[in-house]
Amino acid sequence: MTMRLDRFLTSQTALTRRACCDAVRQGRVTVNGSACRQPEQKITPGADSVTLDGKPVQYSEFHYFLMHKPCGVITASRDRHAKTVLDLLKPEDRLPGLFACGRLDKDTSGLLLITDDGQLSHRLLSPKHHVTKYYLVQLSRPFEPSYIDTLREGITLRDGAKEEQCLPAECEQIGERMCVIGLHEGRYHQVRRSFAALGNHVENLLRVRIGGLDLPPELPPGGYLAIFTKEVERMLNPSSISLAAAFCRRQYSSYWIKEPV
Ligand code: URA
């Protein structure tokens, strides 16, 4: 596959098409070691080596950033008033076509994938592909063991006269007011509404795992990392509530409060 040099640069950097063309015409771009001043020059991504201002421009068909979404930021690509997760990216990482894969509420923090790979996003989000999302939940009242069976049977969410039947969800208690829940679908405010239907209230919510990939404990809220195919594929691996709960006991059992586990 060949591609015009200006298109290649536009797809692999955060510069606009015009800025890429200017950089080429100004002699700031090399292809296989020689300056190339023609934006229309055809190159083979991955085979030809390209530099911009002396720095290699690596080729990837798709890009993946793993973010620890903080509370207070919305999961949208653009918003006139509120700060979005894409605003947290450094200017050089704001590549064209990036979007957040799935939604976390404004008041929910945790693991969020930002990518330009629509097909992968569909596989992660469609209930057909069974990618479980795990959340650490802090409740305002003590966890009741009876929640486990109710959630396993599939809880019914009511909104006025409207009823929504959820798919079975797994849940494990990890503290007096803390538990981990695994969902196979992503309904609007599903965790908060499920615990409200159980007569409790979610005080804090952190997404800790997608499939087989955990939220890196060293990643602070607002931080993010570029990840590559091997890690992305871990999201498609099967997982289990006991693995997610064990991870939370090790890493996140005192995330919001100190309590005996
Ligand atoms: N469930 C919720 O209630 N909120 C989220 O952000 C994700 C799942």
Side-chain angles (χ1 to χ4, degrees), residues 5-35:
L5 180 58
D6 55 351
R7 284 205 58 204
F8 170 82
L9 290 168
T10 312
S11 67
Q12 304 299 311
T13 69
L15 299 180
T16 61
R17 181 82 170 261
R18 169 172 292 196
C20 290
C21 287
D22 289 347
V24 175
R25 291 201 182 94
Q26 289 158 5
R28 291 158 51 205
V29 175
T30 65
V31 177
N32 300 327
S34 318

PDB file of all heavy atoms in Angstrom, residues 5-35:
ATOM      1  N   LEU A   5       2.818  11.413   0.905  1.00  0.00           N
ATOM      2  CA  LEU A   5       3.580  11.801   2.101  1.00  0.00           C
ATOM      3  C   LEU A   5       2.773  12.739   3.017  1.00  0.00           C
ATOM      4  O   LEU A   5       2.765  12.571   4.237  1.00  0.00           O
ATOM      5  CB  LEU A   5       4.890  12.480   1.652  1.00  0.00           C
ATOM      6  CG  LEU A   5       5.827  12.953   2.741  1.00  0.00           C
ATOM      7  CD1 LEU A   5       6.241  11.799   3.660  1.00  0.00           C
ATOM      8  CD2 LEU A   5       7.073  13.604   2.134  1.00  0.00           C
ATOM      9  N   ASP A   6       2.059  13.707   2.422  1.00  0.00           N
ATOM     10  CA  ASP A   6       1.304  14.641   3.280  1.00  0.00           C
ATOM     11  C   ASP A   6       0.169  13.911   4.006  1.00  0.00           C
ATOM     12  O   ASP A   6      -0.104  14.163   5.178  1.00  0.00           O
ATOM     13  CB  ASP A   6       0.782  15.854   2.488  1.00  0.00           C
ATOM     14  CG  ASP A   6      -0.052  15.487   1.272  1.00  0.00           C
ATOM     15  OD1 ASP A   6      -0.107  14.292   0.912  1.00  0.00           O
ATOM     16  OD2 ASP A   6      -0.669  16.395   0.684  1.00  0.00           O
ATOM     17  N   ARG A   7      -0.457  12.931   3.346  1.00  0.00           N
ATOM     18  CA  ARG A   7      -1.532  12.164   4.011  1.00  0.00           C
ATOM     19  C   ARG A   7      -0.951  11.309   5.131  1.00  0.00           C
ATOM     20  O   ARG A   7      -1.536  11.169   6.201  1.00  0.00           O
ATOM     21  CB  ARG A   7      -2.252  11.262   2.996  1.00  0.00           C
ATOM     22  CG  ARG A   7      -3.184  12.045   2.108  1.00  0.00           C
ATOM     23  CD  ARG A   7      -4.282  11.163   1.587  1.00  0.00           C
ATOM     24  NE  ARG A   7      -5.042  10.556   2.665  1.00  0.00           N
ATOM     25  CZ  ARG A   7      -5.722   9.428   2.541  1.00  0.00           C
ATOM     26  NH1 ARG A   7      -5.744   8.781   1.405  1.00  0.00           N
ATOM     27  NH2 ARG A   7      -6.389   8.948   3.550  1.00  0.00           N
ATOM     28  N   PHE A   8       0.212  10.713   4.848  1.00  0.00           N
ATOM     29  CA  PHE A   8       0.875   9.904   5.877  1.00  0.00           C
ATOM     30  C   PHE A   8       1.147  10.744   7.126  1.00  0.00           C
ATOM     31  O   PHE A   8       0.810  10.360   8.243  1.00  0.00           O
ATOM     32  CB  PHE A   8       2.192   9.345   5.305  1.00  0.00           C
ATOM     33  CG  PHE A   8       3.067   8.704   6.338  1.00  0.00           C
ATOM     34  CD1 PHE A   8       2.837   7.394   6.747  1.00  0.00           C
ATOM     35  CD2 PHE A   8       4.109   9.414   6.941  1.00  0.00           C
ATOM     36  CE1 PHE A   8       3.629   6.807   7.732  1.00  0.00           C
ATOM     37  CE2 PHE A   8       4.899   8.832   7.916  1.00  0.00           C
ATOM     38  CZ  PHE A   8       4.658   7.527   8.305  1.00  0.00           C
ATOM     39  N   LEU A   9       1.721  11.929   6.912  1.00  0.00           N
ATOM     40  CA  LEU A   9       2.064  12.784   8.063  1.00  0.00           C
ATOM     41  C   LEU A   9       0.808  13.239   8.802  1.00  0.00           C
ATOM     42  O   LEU A   9       0.781  13.294  10.033  1.00  0.00           O
ATOM     43  CB  LEU A   9       2.868  14.005   7.589  1.00  0.00           C
ATOM     44  CG  LEU A   9       4.289  13.699   7.106  1.00  0.00           C
ATOM     45  CD1 LEU A   9       4.874  14.906   6.400  1.00  0.00           C
ATOM     46  CD2 LEU A   9       5.182  13.273   8.269  1.00  0.00           C
ATOM     47  N   THR A  10      -0.245  13.546   8.040  1.00  0.00           N
ATOM     48  CA  THR A  10      -1.482  14.008   8.685  1.00  0.00           C
ATOM     49  C   THR A  10      -2.074  12.901   9.550  1.00  0.00           C
ATOM     50  O   THR A  10      -2.618  13.157  10.619  1.00  0.00           O
ATOM     51  CB  THR A  10      -2.505  14.464   7.621  1.00  0.00           C
ATOM     52  OG1 THR A  10      -1.850  15.319   6.705  1.00  0.00           O
ATOM     53  CG2 THR A  10      -3.674  15.204   8.235  1.00  0.00           C
ATOM     54  N   SER A  11      -1.954  11.633   9.079  1.00  0.00           N
ATOM     55  CA  SER A  11      -2.587  10.539   9.838  1.00  0.00           C
ATOM     56  C   SER A  11      -1.752  10.116  11.048  1.00  0.00           C
ATOM     57  O   SER A  11      -2.272   9.493  11.955  1.00  0.00           O
ATOM     58  CB  SER A  11      -2.835   9.335   8.926  1.00  0.00           C
ATOM     59  OG  SER A  11      -1.599   8.779   8.527  1.00  0.00           O
ATOM     60  N   GLN A  12      -0.454  10.440  11.044  1.00  0.00           N
ATOM     61  CA  GLN A  12       0.418   9.931  12.112  1.00  0.00           C
ATOM     62  C   GLN A  12       0.888  11.014  13.083  1.00  0.00           C
ATOM     63  O   GLN A  12       1.632  10.722  14.014  1.00  0.00           O
ATOM     64  CB  GLN A  12       1.655   9.244  11.504  1.00  0.00           C
ATOM     65  CG  GLN A  12       1.317   8.126  10.535  1.00  0.00           C
ATOM     66  CD  GLN A  12       0.533   7.008  11.197  1.00  0.00           C
ATOM     67  OE1 GLN A  12       0.898   6.510  12.269  1.00  0.00           O
ATOM     68  NE2 GLN A  12      -0.565   6.606  10.596  1.00  0.00           N
ATOM     69  N   THR A  13       0.511  12.257  12.832  1.00  0.00           N
ATOM     70  CA  THR A  13       0.906  13.345  13.738  1.00  0.00           C
ATOM     71  C   THR A  13      -0.343  14.172  14.040  1.00  0.00           C
ATOM     72  O   THR A  13      -1.376  13.988  13.406  1.00  0.00           O
ATOM     73  CB  THR A  13       1.957  14.281  13.084  1.00  0.00           C
ATOM     74  OG1 THR A  13       1.306  15.007  12.036  1.00  0.00           O
ATOM     75  CG2 THR A  13       3.144  13.543  12.516  1.00  0.00           C
ATOM     76  N   ALA A  14      -0.215  15.084  14.985  1.00  0.00           N
ATOM     77  CA  ALA A  14      -1.374  15.917  15.324  1.00  0.00           C
ATOM     78  C   ALA A  14      -1.394  17.192  14.481  1.00  0.00           C
ATOM     79  O   ALA A  14      -2.192  18.090  14.738  1.00  0.00           O
ATOM     80  CB  ALA A  14      -1.345  16.243  16.816  1.00  0.00           C
ATOM     81  N   LEU A  15      -0.522  17.292  13.460  1.00  0.00           N
ATOM     82  CA  LEU A  15      -0.490  18.506  12.625  1.00  0.00           C
ATOM     83  C   LEU A  15      -1.619  18.482  11.596  1.00  0.00           C
ATOM     84  O   LEU A  15      -2.039  17.407  11.154  1.00  0.00           O
ATOM     85  CB  LEU A  15       0.841  18.582  11.869  1.00  0.00           C
ATOM     86  CG  LEU A  15       2.112  18.661  12.709  1.00  0.00           C
ATOM     87  CD1 LEU A  15       3.327  18.730  11.794  1.00  0.00           C
ATOM     88  CD2 LEU A  15       2.075  19.871  13.631  1.00  0.00           C
ATOM     89  N   THR A  16      -2.064  19.661  11.190  1.00  0.00           N
ATOM     90  CA  THR A  16      -3.095  19.728  10.140  1.00  0.00           C
ATOM     91  C   THR A  16      -2.449  19.376   8.798  1.00  0.00           C
ATOM     92  O   THR A  16      -1.215  19.401   8.661  1.00  0.00           O
ATOM     93  CB  THR A  16      -3.659  21.152  10.021  1.00  0.00           C
ATOM     94  OG1 THR A  16      -2.576  22.013   9.655  1.00  0.00           O
ATOM     95  CG2 THR A  16      -4.288  21.636  11.321  1.00  0.00           C
ATOM     96  N   ARG A  17      -3.308  19.109   7.812  1.00  0.00           N
ATOM     97  CA  ARG A  17      -2.805  18.784   6.466  1.00  0.00           C
ATOM     98  C   ARG A  17      -1.926  19.930   5.954  1.00  0.00           C
ATOM     99  O   ARG A  17      -0.849  19.704   5.415  1.00  0.00           O
ATOM    100  CB  ARG A  17      -4.025  18.571   5.553  1.00  0.00           C
ATOM    101  CG  ARG A  17      -3.704  18.210   4.122  1.00  0.00           C
ATOM    102  CD  ARG A  17      -3.413  16.728   4.028  1.00  0.00           C
ATOM    103  NE  ARG A  17      -3.329  16.292   2.651  1.00  0.00           N
ATOM    104  CZ  ARG A  17      -4.310  15.693   1.995  1.00  0.00           C
ATOM    105  NH1 ARG A  17      -5.449  15.472   2.594  1.00  0.00           N
ATOM    106  NH2 ARG A  17      -4.129  15.294   0.754  1.00  0.00           N
ATOM    107  N   ARG A  18      -2.399  21.158   6.175  1.00  0.00           N
ATOM    108  CA  ARG A  18      -1.642  22.318   5.678  1.00  0.00           C
ATOM    109  C   ARG A  18      -0.272  22.401   6.365  1.00  0.00           C
ATOM    110  O   ARG A  18       0.752  22.608   5.707  1.00  0.00           O
ATOM    111  CB  ARG A  18      -2.427  23.608   5.929  1.00  0.00           C
ATOM    112  CG  ARG A  18      -1.548  24.827   5.679  1.00  0.00           C
ATOM    113  CD  ARG A  18      -2.293  26.086   5.712  1.00  0.00           C
ATOM    114  NE  ARG A  18      -3.202  26.164   4.581  1.00  0.00           N
ATOM    115  CZ  ARG A  18      -3.773  27.301   4.182  1.00  0.00           C
ATOM    116  NH1 ARG A  18      -3.526  28.395   4.836  1.00  0.00           N
ATOM    117  NH2 ARG A  18      -4.577  27.326   3.170  1.00  0.00           N
ATOM    118  N   ALA A  19      -0.234  22.181   7.691  1.00  0.00           N
ATOM    119  CA  ALA A  19       1.041  22.263   8.416  1.00  0.00           C
ATOM    120  C   ALA A  19       1.989  21.169   7.931  1.00  0.00           C
ATOM    121  O   ALA A  19       3.209  21.373   7.843  1.00  0.00           O
ATOM    122  CB  ALA A  19       0.795  22.154   9.914  1.00  0.00           C
ATOM    123  N   CYS A  20       1.423  19.997   7.588  1.00  0.00           N
ATOM    124  CA  CYS A  20       2.266  18.901   7.081  1.00  0.00           C
ATOM    125  C   CYS A  20       2.855  19.289   5.727  1.00  0.00           C
ATOM    126  O   CYS A  20       4.047  19.086   5.478  1.00  0.00           O
ATOM    127  CB  CYS A  20       1.453  17.609   6.942  1.00  0.00           C
ATOM    128  SG  CYS A  20       0.999  16.934   8.545  1.00  0.00           S
ATOM    129  N   CYS A  21       2.017  19.858   4.842  1.00  0.00           N
ATOM    130  CA  CYS A  21       2.504  20.272   3.515  1.00  0.00           C
ATOM    131  C   CYS A  21       3.604  21.320   3.668  1.00  0.00           C
ATOM    132  O   CYS A  21       4.642  21.254   2.998  1.00  0.00           O
ATOM    133  CB  CYS A  21       1.367  20.847   2.674  1.00  0.00           C
ATOM    134  SG  CYS A  21       0.250  19.581   2.116  1.00  0.00           S
ATOM    135  N   ASP A  22       3.383  22.284   4.580  1.00  0.00           N
ATOM    136  CA  ASP A  22       4.391  23.332   4.793  1.00  0.00           C
ATOM    137  C   ASP A  22       5.702  22.714   5.269  1.00  0.00           C
ATOM    138  O   ASP A  22       6.781  23.075   4.786  1.00  0.00           O
ATOM    139  CB  ASP A  22       3.900  24.348   5.839  1.00  0.00           C
ATOM    140  CG  ASP A  22       2.772  25.218   5.292  1.00  0.00           C
ATOM    141  OD1 ASP A  22       2.557  25.199   4.057  1.00  0.00           O
ATOM    142  OD2 ASP A  22       2.096  25.902   6.093  1.00  0.00           O
ATOM    143  N   ALA A  23       5.593  21.761   6.218  1.00  0.00           N
ATOM    144  CA  ALA A  23       6.814  21.138   6.761  1.00  0.00           C
ATOM    145  C   ALA A  23       7.580  20.443   5.640  1.00  0.00           C
ATOM    146  O   ALA A  23       8.819  20.518   5.570  1.00  0.00           O
ATOM    147  CB  ALA A  23       6.447  20.146   7.864  1.00  0.00           C
ATOM    148  N   VAL A  24       6.849  19.785   4.727  1.00  0.00           N
ATOM    149  CA  VAL A  24       7.509  19.077   3.621  1.00  0.00           C
ATOM    150  C   VAL A  24       8.197  20.105   2.715  1.00  0.00           C
ATOM    151  O   VAL A  24       9.389  19.987   2.402  1.00  0.00           O
ATOM    152  CB  VAL A  24       6.485  18.231   2.825  1.00  0.00           C
ATOM    153  CG1 VAL A  24       7.147  17.584   1.610  1.00  0.00           C
ATOM    154  CG2 VAL A  24       5.867  17.161   3.721  1.00  0.00           C
ATOM    155  N   ARG A  25       7.448  21.145   2.342  1.00  0.00           N
ATOM    156  CA  ARG A  25       8.017  22.143   1.404  1.00  0.00           C
ATOM    157  C   ARG A  25       9.216  22.865   2.021  1.00  0.00           C
ATOM    158  O   ARG A  25      10.131  23.287   1.325  1.00  0.00           O
ATOM    159  CB  ARG A  25       6.939  23.161   1.010  1.00  0.00           C
ATOM    160  CG  ARG A  25       5.878  22.505   0.141  1.00  0.00           C
ATOM    161  CD  ARG A  25       5.106  23.524  -0.680  1.00  0.00           C
ATOM    162  NE  ARG A  25       4.075  22.855  -1.451  1.00  0.00           N
ATOM    163  CZ  ARG A  25       2.807  22.711  -1.054  1.00  0.00           C
ATOM    164  NH1 ARG A  25       2.407  23.234   0.084  1.00  0.00           N
ATOM    165  NH2 ARG A  25       1.955  22.057  -1.798  1.00  0.00           N
ATOM    166  N   GLN A  26       9.207  22.988   3.353  1.00  0.00           N
ATOM    167  CA  GLN A  26      10.328  23.682   4.027  1.00  0.00           C
ATOM    168  C   GLN A  26      11.551  22.766   4.204  1.00  0.00           C
ATOM    169  O   GLN A  26      12.540  23.151   4.808  1.00  0.00           O
ATOM    170  CB  GLN A  26       9.864  24.191   5.401  1.00  0.00           C
ATOM    171  CG  GLN A  26       8.894  25.364   5.313  1.00  0.00           C
ATOM    172  CD  GLN A  26       8.051  25.516   6.571  1.00  0.00           C
ATOM    173  OE1 GLN A  26       8.241  24.803   7.572  1.00  0.00           O
ATOM    174  NE2 GLN A  26       7.106  26.457   6.530  1.00  0.00           N
ATOM    175  N   GLY A  27      11.442  21.505   3.739  1.00  0.00           N
ATOM    176  CA  GLY A  27      12.593  20.593   3.820  1.00  0.00           C
ATOM    177  C   GLY A  27      12.783  19.993   5.199  1.00  0.00           C
ATOM    178  O   GLY A  27      13.861  19.504   5.532  1.00  0.00           O
ATOM    179  N   ARG A  28      11.720  19.997   6.030  1.00  0.00           N
ATOM    180  CA  ARG A  28      11.845  19.461   7.399  1.00  0.00           C
ATOM    181  C   ARG A  28      11.542  17.975   7.468  1.00  0.00           C
ATOM    182  O   ARG A  28      11.569  17.374   8.532  1.00  0.00           O
ATOM    183  CB  ARG A  28      10.901  20.244   8.329  1.00  0.00           C
ATOM    184  CG  ARG A  28      11.358  21.681   8.539  1.00  0.00           C
ATOM    185  CD  ARG A  28      10.219  22.585   8.986  1.00  0.00           C
ATOM    186  NE  ARG A  28       9.502  22.025  10.109  1.00  0.00           N
ATOM    187  CZ  ARG A  28       8.231  22.319  10.399  1.00  0.00           C
ATOM    188  NH1 ARG A  28       7.547  23.174   9.648  1.00  0.00           N
ATOM    189  NH2 ARG A  28       7.654  21.763  11.432  1.00  0.00           N
ATOM    190  N   VAL A  29      11.209  17.398   6.305  1.00  0.00           N
ATOM    191  CA  VAL A  29      10.816  15.972   6.287  1.00  0.00           C
ATOM    192  C   VAL A  29      11.803  15.194   5.431  1.00  0.00           C
ATOM    193  O   VAL A  29      12.168  15.637   4.340  1.00  0.00           O
ATOM    194  CB  VAL A  29       9.384  15.854   5.716  1.00  0.00           C
ATOM    195  CG1 VAL A  29       8.974  14.392   5.562  1.00  0.00           C
ATOM    196  CG2 VAL A  29       8.396  16.590   6.622  1.00  0.00           C
ATOM    197  N   THR A  30      12.260  14.042   5.956  1.00  0.00           N
ATOM    198  CA  THR A  30      13.102  13.169   5.130  1.00  0.00           C
ATOM    199  C   THR A  30      12.384  11.853   4.902  1.00  0.00           C
ATOM    200  O   THR A  30      11.589  11.400   5.736  1.00  0.00           O
ATOM    201  CB  THR A  30      14.471  12.856   5.793  1.00  0.00           C
ATOM    202  OG1 THR A  30      14.232  12.085   6.985  1.00  0.00           O
ATOM    203  CG2 THR A  30      15.239  14.112   6.144  1.00  0.00           C
ATOM    204  N   VAL A  31      12.660  11.255   3.743  1.00  0.00           N
ATOM    205  CA  VAL A  31      12.184   9.899   3.441  1.00  0.00           C
ATOM    206  C   VAL A  31      13.434   9.083   3.135  1.00  0.00           C
ATOM    207  O   VAL A  31      14.221   9.452   2.250  1.00  0.00           O
ATOM    208  CB  VAL A  31      11.212   9.897   2.238  1.00  0.00           C
ATOM    209  CG1 VAL A  31      10.789   8.473   1.898  1.00  0.00           C
ATOM    210  CG2 VAL A  31       9.999  10.762   2.532  1.00  0.00           C
ATOM    211  N   ASN A  32      13.627   8.017   3.900  1.00  0.00           N
ATOM    212  CA  ASN A  32      14.809   7.152   3.770  1.00  0.00           C
ATOM    213  C   ASN A  32      16.105   7.967   3.740  1.00  0.00           C
ATOM    214  O   ASN A  32      16.997   7.726   2.920  1.00  0.00           O
ATOM    215  CB  ASN A  32      14.686   6.256   2.527  1.00  0.00           C
ATOM    216  CG  ASN A  32      13.457   5.365   2.628  1.00  0.00           C
ATOM    217  OD1 ASN A  32      13.076   4.950   3.729  1.00  0.00           O
ATOM    218  ND2 ASN A  32      12.811   5.102   1.510  1.00  0.00           N
ATOM    219  N   GLY A  33      16.166   8.960   4.614  1.00  0.00           N
ATOM    220  CA  GLY A  33      17.421   9.696   4.811  1.00  0.00           C
ATOM    221  C   GLY A  33      17.592  10.937   3.948  1.00  0.00           C
ATOM    222  O   GLY A  33      18.507  11.724   4.201  1.00  0.00           O
ATOM    223  N   SER A  34      16.750  11.145   2.930  1.00  0.00           N
ATOM    224  CA  SER A  34      16.929  12.347   2.093  1.00  0.00           C
ATOM    225  C   SER A  34      15.732  13.268   2.244  1.00  0.00           C
ATOM    226  O   SER A  34      14.591  12.789   2.309  1.00  0.00           O
ATOM    227  CB  SER A  34      17.033  12.003   0.610  1.00  0.00           C
ATOM    228  OG  SER A  34      17.820  10.880   0.432  1.00  0.00           O
ATOM    229  N   ALA A  35      16.015  14.569   2.224  1.00  0.00           N
ATOM    230  CA  ALA A  35      14.914  15.533   2.334  1.00  0.00           C
ATOM    231  C   ALA A  35      13.987  15.357   1.135  1.00  0.00           C
ATOM    232  O   ALA A  35      14.444  15.133   0.017  1.00  0.00           O
ATOM    233  CB  ALA A  35      15.478  16.951   2.368  1.00  0.00           C
TER     234      ALA A  35
END
